[in-house]
Amino acid sequence: MRIFSTLVFPRRQQQQIFNLRQFQTTTILRKPISIAPIQIPMDAEQSLRQSLSEKSSSVEAQGNAVRALKASRAAKPEIDAAIEQLNKLKLEKSAVEKELQSIISSSGNGSLNREAFRKAVVNTLERRLFYIPSFKIYSGVAGLFDYGPPGCAIKSNVLSFWRQHFILEENMLEVDCPCVTPEVVLKASGHVDKFTDLMVKDEKTGTCYRADHLLKDYCTDKLEKDLTISAENAAELKDVLAVMEDFSPEQLGAKIKEYGITAPDTKNPLSDPYPFNLMFQTSIGPSGLIPGYMRPETAQGIFVNFKDLYYYNGKKLPFAAAQIGQAFRNEISPRQGLLRVREFTLAEIEHFVDPENKSHPKFSDVAKLEFLMFPREEQMSGQSAKKLCLGEAVSKGTVNNETLGYFIGRVYLFLTRLGIDKERLRFRQHLANEMAHYAADCWDAEIESSYGWIECVGIADRSAYDLRAHSDKSGVPLVAEEKFAEPKEVEKLVITPVKKELGLAFKGNQKNVVESLEAMNEEEAMEMKASLESKGEVEFYVCTLNKTVSIKKNMVSISKEKKKEHQRVFTPSVIEPSFGIGRIIYCLYEHCFSTRPSKAGDEQLNLFRFPPLVAPIKCTVFPLVQNQQFEEAAKVISKELASVGISHKIDITGTSIGKRYARTDELGVPFAITVDSDASVTIRERDSKDQVRVSLKEAASVVSSVSEGKMTWQDVWASFPHHSSAAADE
């Protein structure tokens, strides 16, 4: 959960925000596409809308003139001249409409092409059982999906590489915490009160909709499909799109009423928007007295275990803890397939660091990386994402600190090694109105898909907010220590509760009052001191009692004293990279999907170009024909592949070898071993369809080496005899 501050932007900045939130997507094929965000030519669009309005008025006026001439039985040449002028004006209006539609279509990013591409990808994924809607035989439930065998294998490979890339290479501490979380934990984190979306209901059927989605869909459809709206109305709709994330329920409801938005399915009127908490509520234990929730993120389990993890790590900072697990969000109206679901896998890292020293010893490893970055200033000025050197971005202060920059670099390496197209990956800095009030800096790794730019990883410097929140609520100090080589003289706040007087006044509640007094920060304590000295008594709220009590001057002593300290006690800051695994996997599917013509050229064949690292099956083994000798050789190779941990599939059906290749290409299998003799075999590479011939004994080790990255296909191609593939893919 992220708590956002609310800002009000002037109209010019609203339009800038709208511009930067647009995305540019063309027909997605094998080749990388431009990822610069679309900059809507506002002056041109406004001018064309104004011109269209004027042309429409002229056409209407000329039409009225023609009708008047006919009614007055004017001379035929006069009527013909008026009709000619009317047709001329209609042609001019049509030309303006086409030009305006062209601009709108380009800023709308070729939605038909995107949808056709998405449909081809999703049809293939569901047909080959990468994933399917859950509970399909019972008509399914929106926002829930089952991963089939290839989908499970890809997810497992992605998570395995995540563990290697982050947990093992960065020496992180992995934890595994329960999905069911007591309410008190999520109350402290802010989720119980603020983890909400605004919802409206169909007043007759009770069907629920997410209010901002309805408003967004209305504005977008109007802008893309209605050429008759004026330039002023178009500008207003764009203003609404720019700032509606900051709308209050009242503002959102007012816009829905103003635009006459109704329930999409029934056209019935809608209720006023109201907040809906996205957490699944439950109770813990048979009595039902302990309220709880299914966790909406995995991070809280790490925060509440900070003290034990800190001691486990030898009381040394910095250190990072990581967790992979399921999270649950009761989305109001899930859509966009795997991108917005109700149960999903998160992989989260909480890197704890001294707030006074956010340097990173390994930053130089990533400092020279260059990739697309979209800083806040460029977004507000309407520019595009551009390639920046990470080291320069940190040194110039664009990225707040080295540790945050280091994780941005590591996330870039992780995603590109998985197979994400680096030309369709950008790191976008949060705008001021997106930033939580406590955050120092936040960046999102956004991947371009047919749905536009999708936030797949969030990398945030969350300062000390989370640990302080849990310290305040639990009463357990979640702090770290820095030992000084020499004692330092510092001025310290000293709060000394007089327990005897507090005991007489509060009896059994004495401990709660003492703890609350001792937990005061310096500002609160000095205000209390001043009030006690001037009035002799002050009202004081005790959070653990949930009530206000009266504190008298004789109950507490507050002063500042100079002391020599041997250590510094502080609350660590947290750098948090949070990965939406399902979103990453879906974007990977789109980036790796392509088609190519069959050998006969009469159909297009689908294939997924997964890198061997994540491919669901690394290799297939085919006897060329149904022959016992070849089949026995295939079983030997299969056994050797299994012994070195290479996932594979053996196919001894009588189907033609070309059809078997096509079937496995559609699953994204990178290599195929074809047994066509008892001494040697061919190995085919999926993308190039090139083949080499190797001995029977070498086949498994070659595939193992190239699958694990010890060799490249170019190395294999250079090391073994080439095999003609002229007849192979028939």
Side-chain angles (χ1 to χ4, degrees):
M1 194 278 299
R2 304 293 177 259
I3 302 172
F4 298 111
S5 56
T6 301
L7 302 178
V8 178
F9 292 94
R11 176 176 291 269
R12 179 174 175 81
Q13 284 184 294
Q14 292 174 11
Q15 188 57 63
Q16 289 173 334
I17 294 170
F18 173 77
N19 287 350
L20 62 91
R21 283 178 179 165
Q22 305 309 298
F23 50 81
Q24 181 178 20
T25 311
T26 57
T27 306
I28 301 176
L29 301 172
R30 288 173 48 195
K31 300 294 183 184
I33 61 175
S34 170
I35 68 161
I38 189 71
Q39 302 304 315
I40 299 176
M42 292 307 302
D43 293 340
E45 184 185 343
Q46 289 174 1
S47 175
L48 285 169
R49 286 193 184 277
Q50 185 65 38
S51 176
L52 182 60
S53 177
E54 293 169 358
K55 294 294 182 189
S56 297
S57 298
S58 298
V59 167
E60 184 178 359
Q62 187 65 21
N64 291 335
V66 169
R67 284 188 288 274
L69 288 170
K70 288 181 177 179
S72 65
R73 300 180 181 231
K76 187 174 184 300
E78 189 178 356
I79 293 175
D80 289 345
I83 291 173
E84 184 179 352
Q85 179 63 19
L86 176 62
N87 290 335
K88 181 182 177 182
L89 288 171
K90 284 181 177 179
L91 287 172
E92 290 175 359
K93 178 188 173 187
S94 177
V96 174
E97 283 179 338
K98 287 180 180 178
E99 190 173 354
L100 178 57
Q101 186 63 63
S102 175
I103 288 178
I104 293 172
S105 297
S106 66
S107 60
N109 310 307
S111 57
L112 291 176
N113 289 331
R114 295 201 319 274
E115 288 172 11
F117 171 78
R118 184 190 311 138
K119 185 176 180 180
V121 175
V122 171
N123 285 348
T124 305
L125 291 170
E126 292 191 5
R127 179 167 49 80
R128 297 311 303 265
L129 218 59
F130 282 82
Y131 73 88
I132 54 173
S134 299
F135 317 113
K136 193 174 177 182
I137 63 172
Y138 292 101
S139 301
V141 178
L144 297 175
F145 294 92
D146 296 338
Y147 285 82
C152 281
I154 287 179
K155 182 178 177 182
S156 176
N157 292 339
V158 168
L159 292 177
S160 177
F161 179 56
W162 191 89
R163 275 196 171 92
Q164 175 195 322
H165 187 78
F166 290 107
I167 294 177
L168 296 182
E169 293 184 19
E170 304 296 338
N171 292 312
M172 294 179 178
L173 310 179
E174 185 173 9
V175 299
D176 187 359
C177 305
C179 292
V180 179
T181 306
E183 182 182 58
V184 65
V185 175
L186 296 166
K187 187 77 173 173
S189 68
H191 286 79
V192 171
D193 297 325
K194 298 183 179 180
F195 195 65
T196 59
D197 281 334
L198 293 176
M199 183 170 77
V200 291
K201 279 187 178 180
D202 183 316
E203 291 189 342
K204 293 184 179 179
T205 67
T207 303
C208 299
Y209 302 95
R210 198 168 134 176
D212 61 328
H213 283 177
L214 295 183
L215 182 57
K216 180 180 179 181
D217 290 346
Y218 172 85
C219 294
T220 303
D221 284 350
K222 270 288 193 185
L223 288 168
E224 291 185 359
K225 297 175 183 176
D226 188 352
L227 302 182
T228 64
I229 59 172
S230 67
E232 291 76 14
N233 288 340
E236 180 192 335
L237 292 173
K238 289 170 182 176
D239 287 349
V240 170
L241 285 171
V243 298
M244 71 178 178
E245 289 182 6
D246 299 320
F247 277 176
S248 66
E250 293 75 22
Q251 290 172 312
L252 196 55
K255 283 297 176 187
I256 287 173
K257 283 187 171 65
E258 179 185 341
Y259 295 149
I261 298 172
T262 56
D265 303 318
T266 63
K267 307 306 177 188
N268 291 331
L270 296 166
S271 69
D272 291 332
Y274 61 94
F276 172 75
N277 194 293
L278 298 178
M279 292 191 294
F280 286 98
Q281 190 166 14
T282 186
S283 60
I284 303 170
S287 67
L289 298 178
I290 306 174
Y293 296 89
M294 303 301 290
R295 65 184 179 192
E297 62 181 24
T298 65
Q300 302 308 318
I302 298 175
F303 295 138
V304 300
N305 284 312
F306 169 78
K307 186 175 180 180
D308 292 324
L309 292 168
Y310 178 58
Y311 277 88
Y312 179 85
N313 200 52
K315 298 177 73 173
K316 294 177 182 177
L317 282 183
F319 77 89
Q323 180 169 197
I324 298 170
Q326 295 301 99
F328 306 83
R329 297 181 186 178
N330 195 13
E331 295 284 352
I332 295 168
S333 50
R335 53 186 185 178
Q336 298 182 332
L338 292 181
L339 299 181
R340 189 172 292 278
V341 294
R342 287 174 165 142
E343 179 179 351
F344 51 95
T345 302
L346 284 178
E348 295 191 295
I349 297 165
E350 308 301 331
H351 182 91
F352 300 100
V353 63
D354 186 337
E356 295 182 5
N357 180 15
K358 294 182 181 179
S359 62
H360 198 287
K362 293 167 65 178
F363 180 69
S364 60
D365 293 353
V366 300
K368 294 182 180 179
L369 289 175
E370 289 189 9
F371 46 81
L372 283 166
M373 299 186 76
F374 206 4
R376 187 179 300 124
E377 291 73 18
E378 276 74 2
Q379 297 176 56
M380 293 304 299
S381 61
Q383 298 181 50
S384 303
K386 60 184 69 174
K387 285 192 176 180
L388 298 177
C389 172
L390 183 57
E392 290 180 13
V394 172
S395 65
K396 291 178 179 178
T398 304
V399 175
N400 185 269
N401 57 76
E402 279 192 2
T403 298
L404 184 65
Y406 179 72
F407 279 107
I408 289 173
R410 291 290 289 168
V411 168
Y412 170 80
L413 294 173
F414 170 75
L415 293 174
T416 52
R417 281 199 63 191
L418 283 182
I420 296 299
D421 182 352
K422 58 185 169 185
E423 298 301 323
R424 293 159 66 190
L425 166 66
R426 72 181 183 191
F427 288 80
R428 188 185 68 82
Q429 189 175 29
H430 281 201
L431 298 172
N433 68 320
E434 296 177 281
M435 289 269 284
H437 66 274
Y438 50 78
D441 195 9
C442 300
W443 293 75
D444 289 339
E446 296 182 334
I447 303 173
E448 190 185 39
S449 76
S450 63
Y451 290 103
W453 287 102
I454 303 300
E455 174 200 343
C456 293
V457 187
I459 309 124
D461 183 337
R462 294 175 55 77
S463 299
Y465 172 81
D466 302 281
L467 293 182
R468 282 183 180 147
H470 287 298
S471 291
D472 292 345
K473 188 69 173 177
S474 68
V476 177
L478 302 177
V479 295
E481 301 168 355
E482 178 192 6
K483 302 283 186 184
F484 297 145
E486 296 289 337
K488 293 183 179 180
E489 187 172 87
V490 295
E491 189 175 56
K492 294 289 290 184
L493 175 69
V494 180
I495 301 173
T496 309
V498 181
K499 294 183 179 179
K500 179 181 177 182
E501 298 296 332
L502 292 168
L504 290 171
F506 302 111
K507 300 185 174 21
N509 292 329
Q510 180 215 47
K511 182 181 178 184
N512 302 75
V513 178
V514 168
E515 288 176 347
S516 291
L517 288 168
E518 291 176 336
M520 287 190 294
N521 61 37
E522 185 173 331
E523 183 180 353
E524 292 171 328
M526 297 314 291
E527 284 181 5
M528 177 179 281
K529 177 180 172 67
S531 296
L532 289 173
E533 288 177 352
S534 63
K535 301 175 184 177
E537 189 173 352
V538 67
E539 295 298 302
F540 179 62
Y541 179 73
V542 180
C543 62
T544 52
L545 296 177
N546 195 27
K547 68 178 183 179
T548 300
V549 300
S550 181
I551 300 295
K552 296 180 179 177
K553 191 173 182 179
N554 64 340
M555 293 180 181
V556 62
S557 169
I558 301 171
S559 62
K560 282 190 173 182
E561 298 178 4
K562 287 188 176 180
K563 288 187 174 183
K564 283 192 174 182
E565 289 197 339
H566 296 269
Q567 65 179 15
R568 165 177 156 252
V569 179
F570 61 93
T571 304
S573 286
V574 176
I575 312 293
E576 179 191 71
S578 178
F579 298 74
I581 298 302
R583 289 186 170 199
I584 293 170
I585 289 173
Y586 179 77
C587 290
L588 181 67
Y589 288 151
E590 284 205 2
H591 285 208
C592 292
F593 181 81
S594 63
T595 61
R596 61 186 173 198
S598 63
K599 192 171 184 66
D602 56 348
E603 62 177 325
Q604 289 291 313
L605 303 177
N606 300 329
L607 75 155
F608 284 102
R609 299 175 183 270
F610 299 125
L613 177 71
V614 296
I617 301 168
K618 311 298 185 195
C619 179
T620 48
V621 184
F622 300 144
L624 183 61
V625 294
Q626 287 185 311
N627 173 297
Q628 186 174 356
Q629 187 178 9
F630 290 176
E631 289 176 11
E632 288 302 319
K635 290 176 182 178
V636 170
I637 294 171
S638 173
K639 188 174 180 179
E640 290 176 355
L641 288 168
S643 70
V644 292
I646 297 298
S647 59
H648 64 284
K649 183 178 181 180
I650 188 168
D651 186 346
I652 57 175
T653 63
T655 310
S656 74
I657 195 69
K659 289 183 178 178
R660 281 184 278 178
Y661 283 151
R663 281 203 304 249
T664 57
D665 287 348
E666 199 173 47
L667 283 173
V669 182
F671 305 108
I673 298 174
T674 303
V675 182
D676 56 2
S677 81
D678 57 0
S680 67
V681 298
T682 65
I683 301 177
R684 172 191 182 263
E685 195 270 335
R686 175 199 60 219
D687 296 347
S688 64
K689 299 196 283 187
D690 289 338
Q691 298 186 40
V692 296
R693 183 165 292 280
V694 303
S695 70
L696 193 68
K697 293 180 180 179
E698 291 177 298
S701 64
V702 170
V703 171
S704 174
S705 295
V706 74
S707 295
E708 294 174 357
K710 297 174 184 176
M711 295 176 68
T712 65
W713 179 251
Q714 288 72 24
D715 297 331
V716 174
W717 185 251
S719 303
F720 294 95
H722 303 172
H723 177 75
S724 172
S725 58
D729 283 28
E730 292 178 353

